[in-house]
């Protein structure tokens, strides 16, 4: 990878012009070190989110209440693992190794989406995650399909194509509950109550407080601001909640005629920052789970490497 | 930071159906080529996207350098006579 | 085809067919349920995806067998009624399927043993039988062939990998070997279905299984344990203590309200 060579001011200007005109950047092209660094951070955070995101839903696979729901959930969690891999693969084109990225996740220096630090307490949470969390993720991800970095954009195209079923299955699950028994309806409403605000916060802090926003938009790594995307999600979801017959847990929610948008009440950013800083209900549990899997698998990874070396030696002996 | 648990990187190319070329799909890690093929099947063809898979150790790929772009590809830009549109034929002549 | 299927059916009692569909469906279900427990715990993300694929295959097979069983029985029990509203003693899975995941070596050995058995059995059902059961077997056989390949390669890697992986394989092998014998013990129901050409002869399945598995174990430098203890009875409803725990977890939500639709 040649991206880390310092470039001249001319290189920088040419890069900005190219990217500004919606030009694409490929792994071997010259790119500013800060661009590569930002991409590695963003793509790997995204990958880690997919991998950690397997846990809250995976939690219910063994108890899924019908075989149809069970296979749907398994296929969805499996997709998340796949999406994590597509993204690690995109990050690796920037010269960072998967081992390094995984290590950053395990030692807690890398971030992942805070939403996965909330617990899944009932079966309805599986529906709420599909409907709300995947719904928010899709709003976030569709623009990234057009981002400036080729491998990231291509990974996102694949991911968005596969994720369209994730949101639908979540909505369908919520629909089954909200049309079901009273206990099921209560379960669905309770899940919406707990997942609504964390989902709204998934788009990150308000534009004014978002640290990297301006530069990332100039580089076309980010195409819309946090608040723009959040608004899109809110407008879309309010109508869906109505169709489900569920109530969004916000007494201040109102339709603003002037702007044509739904406005939510005050967002509790203190909670957001507290979860980001590691004090969410499940931060420790999620990381411990990941570390356990990694450590328990060490002997398997070692054995496969040892066997591959033996095989190479054997075929070399045969050839000699 | 390669360790004794590190699996090398492979590039994955998939032919989605007969008649089409293999197209680069992404990369993955595997301890050996056989495993790479199976991982590729599970990671990149979960929705029946593949009818044939190639895996190549990433380290074995020789790539052209972007800095050579000028000398490698620009010479082809000024040889318009390689394209059929370069040639004029009367409108009423068919099948040419 | 329809006439031939009718003929095959008429040679076998519906009660026997129901029983064999349960045995195959329950084995696939319990094994798939356990295998899905590896989700997010795999040694690599790539392997996590592979194991989930195999679990999906197994549960998919279970659904086909149980759905068929339910229709054959004609008492309105569908796949979910059968999966979620029977007690452990009503399950007909082989004991091998309810053996714990253990470590990755033990899981791979269990999958190899089961898949090699199921592949041979389904191939025989497909070749000899007619009708829906043979069709399900044909579909499942292709899936099992891939599981045999995948698990077999892993058993070889681990057996011939490091000292530790070899030792873990040998331990897993000792834990699982007793439970393979049951797979080849034909009871009266099996005998009748073999006679009717619905199931292949179990001796043939066993020969194929031994040939295939011992070749993998040999490449894996693993020693086959002595045949001493040979527990059986799972396919007749006598299980280990473990099954009720597996079901307790699997059935918990469905049983919280038997009338609810999910």
């Amino acid at each position: 990878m040649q991206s880390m060579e310092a470039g001249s001011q001319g290189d920088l200007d040419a890069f900005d012009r190219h990217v500004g005109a919606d030009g694409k950047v490929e792994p071997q092209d010259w790119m500013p070190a800060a661009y590569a660094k930002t991409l590695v951070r963003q793509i790997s955070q995204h990958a880690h989110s997919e991998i950690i995101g397997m846990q809250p839903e995976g939690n219910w696979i063994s108890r899924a209440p019908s075989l149809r729901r069970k296979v749907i959930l398994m296929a969805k969690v499996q997709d998340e693992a796949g999406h994590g891999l597509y993204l690690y693969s995109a990050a690796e084109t920037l010269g960072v190794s998967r081992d390094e990225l995984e290590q950053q996740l395990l030692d807690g220096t890398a971030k992942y989406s805070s939403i996965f630090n909330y617990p899944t307490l009932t079966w309805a949470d599986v529906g709420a995650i599909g409907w709300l969390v995947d719904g928010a993720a899709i709003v976030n991800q569709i623009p990234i399909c057009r981002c400036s970095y080729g491998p990231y954009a291509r990974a996102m195209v694949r991911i968005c194509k596969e994720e369209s079923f994730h949101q639908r299955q979540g909505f369908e699950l919520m629909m089954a509950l909200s049309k079901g028994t009273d206990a099921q309806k209560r379960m669905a409403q309770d899940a919406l109550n707990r997942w609504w605000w964390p989902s709204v916060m998934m788009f990150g802090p308000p534009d004014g407080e978002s640290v990297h926003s301006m530069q990332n938009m100039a580089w076309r790594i980010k195409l819309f601001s946090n608040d723009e995307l959040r608004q899109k999600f809110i407008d879309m979801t309010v109508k869906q909640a109505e169709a489900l017959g569920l109530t969004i847990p916000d007494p201040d929610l109102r339709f603003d005629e002037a702007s044509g948008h739904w406005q939510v009440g005050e967002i509790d950013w203190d909670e957001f920052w507290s979860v980001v800083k590691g004090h969410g209900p499940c931060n420790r549990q999620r990381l411990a789970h990941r570390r356990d899997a990694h450590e328990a698998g060490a002997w398997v990874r070692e054995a496969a490497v040892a066997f591959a070396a033996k095989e190479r030696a054997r075929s070399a002996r045969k050839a000699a | 930071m390669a360790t004794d648990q590190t699996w090398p990187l492979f590039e994955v190319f998939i032919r989605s159906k007969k008649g089409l070329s293999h197209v680069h799909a992404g990369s993955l890690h595997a301890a050996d080529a056989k495993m790479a093929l199976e991982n590729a099947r599970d990671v990149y063809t979960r929705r029946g996207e593949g009818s044939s898979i190639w895996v190549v150790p990433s380290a074995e790929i020789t790539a052209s350098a972007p800095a050579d772009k000028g000398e490698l590809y620009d010479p082809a830009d000024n040889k318009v006579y390689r394209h059929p549109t370069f040639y004029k034929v009367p409108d009423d002549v068919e099948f040419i | 085809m329809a006439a031939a299927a009718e003929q095959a059916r008429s040679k076998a009692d519906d009660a026997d067919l129901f029983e064999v569909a349960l045995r195959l469906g329950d084995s696939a279900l319990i094994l798939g349920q356990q295998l899905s427990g590896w989700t997010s715990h795999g040694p690599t993300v790539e392997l996590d995806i592979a194991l989930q694929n195999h679990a999906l295959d197994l549960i998919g097979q279970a659904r086909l067998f149980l759905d068929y069983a339910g229709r054959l029985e004609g008492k309105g029990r569908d796949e979910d009624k059968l999966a979620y509203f029977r007690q452990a003693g009503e399950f007909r899975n082989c004991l091998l399927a309810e053996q714990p995941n253990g470590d990755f070596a033990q899981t791979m050995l269990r999958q190899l043993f089961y898949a090699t058995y199921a592949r041979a059995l389904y191939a025989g059902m497909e070749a000899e039988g007619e009708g829906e059961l043979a069709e399900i077997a044909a579909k499942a056989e292709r899936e099992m062939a891939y599981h045999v390949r995948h698990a077999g390669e892993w058993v070889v890697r681990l057996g011939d990998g490091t000292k530790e992986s070899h030792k873990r394989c040998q331990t897993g092998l000792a834990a699982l070997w007793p439970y393979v014998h049951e797979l080849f013990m034909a009871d009266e129901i099996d005998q009748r279905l073999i006679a009717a050409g619905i199931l292949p002869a179990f001796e043939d399945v066993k020969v194929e299984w031994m040939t295939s598995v011992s070749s993998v174990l040999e490449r894996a430098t693993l020693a086959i344990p002595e045949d001493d203890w040979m527990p059986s009875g799972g396919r007749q409803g006598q299980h280990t203590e473990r099954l009720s725990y597996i079901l307790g977890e699997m059935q918990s939500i469905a049983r919280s309200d038997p009338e609810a639709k999910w």
Side-chain angles (χ1 to χ4, degrees):
Chain A
M1 307 293 119
Q2 309 172 349
S3 56
M4 299 308 162
E5 286 168 24
S8 63
Q9 188 58 44
D11 290 338
L12 274 173
D13 292 344
F15 181 86
D16 285 350
R17 270 199 308 280
H18 175 70
V19 168
D22 217 2
K24 298 289 175 194
V25 181
E26 292 297 340
Q28 292 201 317
D29 295 338
W30 182 86
M31 62 188 88
Y35 174 83
K37 197 177 154 201
T38 304
L39 273 173
V40 168
R41 193 188 58 232
Q42 187 173 325
I43 300 172
S44 62
Q45 273 183 21
H46 193 162
H48 298 329
S49 302
E50 298 279 358
I51 299 302
I52 295 289
M54 294 167 71
Q55 293 179 33
E57 287 171 287
N59 181 31
W60 290 90
I61 288 176
S62 67
R63 292 171 289 174
S66 74
L67 296 181
R68 176 175 174 273
R69 290 285 176 211
K70 190 188 286 288
V71 293
I72 291 171
L73 183 56
M74 286 165 67
K76 178 179 189 276
V77 175
Q78 188 192 37
D79 272 351
E80 280 153 18
H83 298 170
L85 286 186
Y86 303 161
L87 290 160
Y88 281 131
S89 153
E92 281 182 287
T93 62
L94 292 157
V96 58
S97 77
R98 170 112 156 254
D99 282 350
E100 285 172 74
L101 297 176
E102 276 177 350
Q103 200 49 50
Q104 288 165 7
L105 174 64
L106 296 176
D107 64 24
T109 51
K111 295 246 177 320
Y112 55 86
S113 180
S114 281
I115 193 90
F116 301 118
N117 289 321
Y118 290 88
T120 48
L121 301 177
T122 72
W123 170 250
D125 290 23
V126 170
I129 289 185
W131 171 39
L132 298 172
V133 177
D134 289 286
I138 289 171
V139 169
N140 239 332
Q141 290 169 357
I142 284 180
I144 308 177
C145 296
R146 294 183 286 121
C147 81
S148 61
Y149 189 59
Y152 189 24
R154 289 191 287 275
M156 285 320 304
V157 168
R158 196 176 257 278
I159 290 172
C160 286
K161 225 192 262 173
E162 297 189 352
E163 277 203 348
S164 50
F165 108 75
H166 294 187
Q167 190 192 12
R168 287 178 81 116
Q169 66 84 33
F171 187 82
E172 189 208 69
L173 198 165
M174 292 300 272
M175 186 69 103
L177 297 179
S178 61
K179 284 195 182 341
T181 65
D182 287 347
Q184 285 178 308
K185 255 178 263 177
R186 277 198 302 277
M187 196 193 266
Q189 181 64 52
D190 166 64
L192 172 57
N193 293 350
R194 284 180 291 109
W195 289 93
W196 169 253
W197 289 112
S199 302
V200 168
M201 290 190 247
M202 269 177 76
F203 298 89
D207 292 348
E209 294 167 35
S210 186
V211 216
H212 308 288
S213 267
M214 287 297 284
Q215 180 61 74
N216 292 355
M217 284 176 88
W219 276 337
R220 299 190 65 79
I221 299 174
K222 193 176 171 69
L223 286 90
F224 296 96
S225 78
N226 293 354
D227 287 336
E228 282 173 313
L229 294 168
R230 187 178 356 260
Q231 188 61 56
K232 201 168 171 205
F233 168 73
I234 292 166
D235 289 341
M236 169 182 116
T237 310
V238 169
K239 281 178 235 155
Q240 293 166 355
E242 241 168 68
L244 289 172
L246 298 175
T247 309
I248 288 182
D250 177 3
D252 298 325
L253 182 75
R254 63 178 188 89
F255 188 72
D256 180 54
E257 295 286 348
S259 65
H261 291 298
W262 286 90
Q263 289 194 340
V264 292
E266 199 157 335
I267 300 174
D268 183 359
W269 291 110
D270 290 343
E271 175 182 323
F272 174 78
W273 289 115
S274 145
V275 180
V276 168
K277 288 182 179 122
H279 301 147
C282 299
N283 297 57
R284 290 174 191 212
Q285 177 189 335
R286 301 288 185 239
L287 272 188
H289 178 134
R290 199 60 239 138
R291 281 189 204 117
D292 286 349
H294 188 78
E295 282 161 22
W299 69 269
V300 177
R301 297 190 298 274
E302 268 166 30
V305 169
F307 176 76
K310 283 187 195 175
E311 285 281 273
R312 274 195 304 275
R314 280 193 278 257
S315 66
R317 264 204 305 280
K318 242 183 236 164
Chain B
M1 51 172 260
T3 68
D4 53 358
Q5 300 169 20
T6 302
W7 292 357
L9 193 64
F10 286 80
E11 299 299 321
V12 179
F13 299 83
I14 292 173
R15 184 205 294 286
S16 54
K17 60 179 184 195
K18 283 188 183 173
L20 298 178
S21 305
H22 286 77
V23 175
H24 185 237
S27 64
L28 48 75
H29 289 266
D32 54 55
K34 233 188 236 177
M35 193 198 294
L37 212 49
E38 287 170 10
N39 288 351
R41 174 234 191 218
D42 291 328
V43 175
Y44 288 104
T45 68
R46 290 195 304 286
R47 286 170 172 77
E49 299 96 326
S51 70
S52 162
I53 303 174
W54 291 346
V55 290
V56 185
S58 306
E60 297 291 321
I61 291 186
T62 308
S64 63
D68 298 340
K69 184 172 173 288
E71 56 188 84
L72 285 180
Y73 312 116
D74 287 358
D77 288 349
N78 58 17
K79 296 183 177 59
V80 286
Y81 43 79
R82 283 187 174 134
H83 300 277
T85 46
F86 178 70
Y87 302 92
K88 285 196 177 60
V89 291
D91 288 347
D92 52 352
V93 177
E94 290 182 310
F95 308 118
I96 183 161
Chain C
M1 181 75 199
E6 211 35 59
Q7 211 190 347
R9 274 276 304 277
S10 67
K11 282 194 285 177
D13 195 56
D14 272 4
D16 284 353
L17 284 172
F18 172 74
E19 199 64 22
V20 75
L22 278 192
R23 289 173 177 187
L24 298 173
D26 288 348
S27 291
L29 177 61
I30 299 303
L31 194 62
Q33 169 77 5
Q34 296 217 83
L35 193 56
S36 74
W38 273 101
T39 303
S40 80
H41 294 278
T44 66
V45 183
E46 282 89 345
L47 272 171
D48 222 289
I49 296 178
L51 297 185
Q52 290 170 66
N53 255 356
H54 298 179
L56 277 169
D57 286 342
L58 289 165
I59 292 174
Q61 292 166 16
R63 294 180 69 187
L64 294 173
F65 282 124
L66 293 180
D67 171 70
Y68 172 71
R71 281 183 285 116
L72 208 54
E73 186 191 41
K75 291 183 186 161
R77 289 203 284 184
D78 61 9
E79 56 178 49
D80 289 330
K81 275 274 171 309
L82 287 169
Y84 291 94
F85 294 94
R86 279 180 299 151
Q87 309 285 350
E90 296 167 88
F91 270 72
R92 296 288 182 265
N93 59 282
C94 57
L95 296 176
L96 180 67
E98 66 197 55
Q99 296 312 301
N101 285 343
D103 61 14
F104 186 68
Q106 185 165 334
T107 295
M108 283 295 103
L109 283 160
R110 186 188 64 198
Q111 301 310 117
L112 174 70
F113 291 169
Y114 180 80
T116 308
Y117 158 75
R119 181 187 59 174
L121 186 76
Y122 294 154
M125 289 169 67
E126 185 187 346
E128 297 177 30
E130 292 278 357
E132 204 173 335
L133 205 53
E135 281 167 32
I136 301 172
K139 179 191 172 291
E141 193 249 337
R142 287 191 295 277
E143 293 171 344
M144 289 295 104
Y146 185 77
H147 292 209
V148 170
R149 172 177 155 172
H150 184 268
E153 284 174 9
W154 268 104
V155 167
V156 171
R157 273 188 201 104
L158 297 175
D160 191 19
T162 60
K163 247 185 210 157
E164 178 178 8
S165 67
H166 179 86
K167 194 174 139 231
R168 283 176 183 263
C169 280
Q170 206 62 66
T171 306
L173 194 51
L176 293 173
W177 194 257
Y179 297 99
V180 303
H181 306 288
E182 182 198 18
L183 301 175
F184 313 111
M185 295 177 189
D187 66 6
E188 282 173 14
I189 296 171
D190 297 318
Q191 300 288 7
R192 288 196 292 270
L193 290 170
I194 292 165
I198 306 281
L199 295 178
F202 280 19
E203 304 84 65
D204 297 346
V205 174
K206 185 175 182 179
V207 168
E208 197 182 325
W209 188 91
M210 272 308 293
T211 310
S212 173
V213 165
S214 49
S215 130
V216 172
L217 296 181
E218 193 187 317
R219 281 193 293 139
T221 71
L222 294 168
I224 295 180
E226 296 279 316
D227 293 339
D228 48 7
W229 181 48
M230 303 184 190
S232 67
R235 298 166 71 252
Q236 290 78 30
Q238 282 128 42
H239 294 278
T240 60
E241 286 180 348
R242 207 179 134 66
L243 184 64
S244 64
Y245 286 94
I246 298 172
L247 296 180
E249 184 173 346
M250 184 179 91
Q251 299 175 333
S252 61
I253 304 176
R255 287 192 177 228
S256 67
D257 185 349
E259 298 310 312
K261 298 257 182 302
W262 300 94

